[in-house]
Amino acid sequence: SQPVRLYVRAKFVGFKGSKVNQYHHTSILRLEDVNSKEETEFYLGKRAAFIYKAKTLKNGSNFRVIWGKVVRAHGTNGAVRAKFRSNLPAKAMGANVRVMLYPSRV
């Protein structure tokens, strides 16, 4: 049987911003195969994980993770806003983020 993926792939496309300012505390994620505001509704409140690799070994692993959660939709084309425990680094733009399928709201 095929392995089951318990997350949806997303891209970190940038920070929330206005005409002049950029707000790093809110990240914008583009979810794979989600193309409307209505479809984002399911993902609100879900956990998001930005996984990256570091040089130093900690807890027997070189991988680190910054956890966050999907807060609301962003626009009408299926992007969402997420807040992470610590702000995502700017060099992470364009990188993959996992949006977990928990906690369930059903």
Side-chain angles (χ1 to χ4, degrees):
S1 68
Q2 292 286 48
V4 180
R5 189 161 38 90
L6 292 177
Y7 61 90
V8 171
R9 294 193 208 99
K11 280 263 188 280
F12 168 40
V13 292
F15 296 109
K16 179 182 131 168
S18 61
K19 186 177 175 198
V20 183
N21 299 330
Q22 184 166 281
Y23 300 103
H24 313 111
H25 54 68
T26 308
S27 311
I28 297 172
L29 306 179
R30 195 66 246 204
L31 299 164
E32 209 172 71
D33 300 325
V34 177
N35 298 312
S36 75
K37 191 172 188 157
E38 290 66 50
E39 292 171 42
T40 63
E41 211 273 330
F42 169 81
Y43 296 97
L44 304 187
K46 299 280 187 265
R47 295 253 155 250
F50 170 63
I51 299 172
Y52 61 101
K53 217 168 171 184
K55 282 271 192 283
T56 321
L57 200 68
K58 282 194 179 174
N59 306 329
S61 167
N62 285 69
F63 289 99
R64 311 275 160 81
V65 61
I66 300 176
W67 286 97
K69 66 147 110 45
V70 176
V71 195
R72 55 173 290 184
H74 178 83
T76 53
N77 272 339
V80 294
R81 294 182 200 172
K83 286 192 172 246
F84 288 82
R85 260 180 218 160
S86 59
N87 300 340
L88 293 185
K91 76 185 267 189
M93 281 191 205
N96 291 322
V97 174
R98 294 178 178 188
V99 175
M100 304 302 180
L101 296 178
Y102 54 82
S104 167
R105 294 192 304 128
V106 181

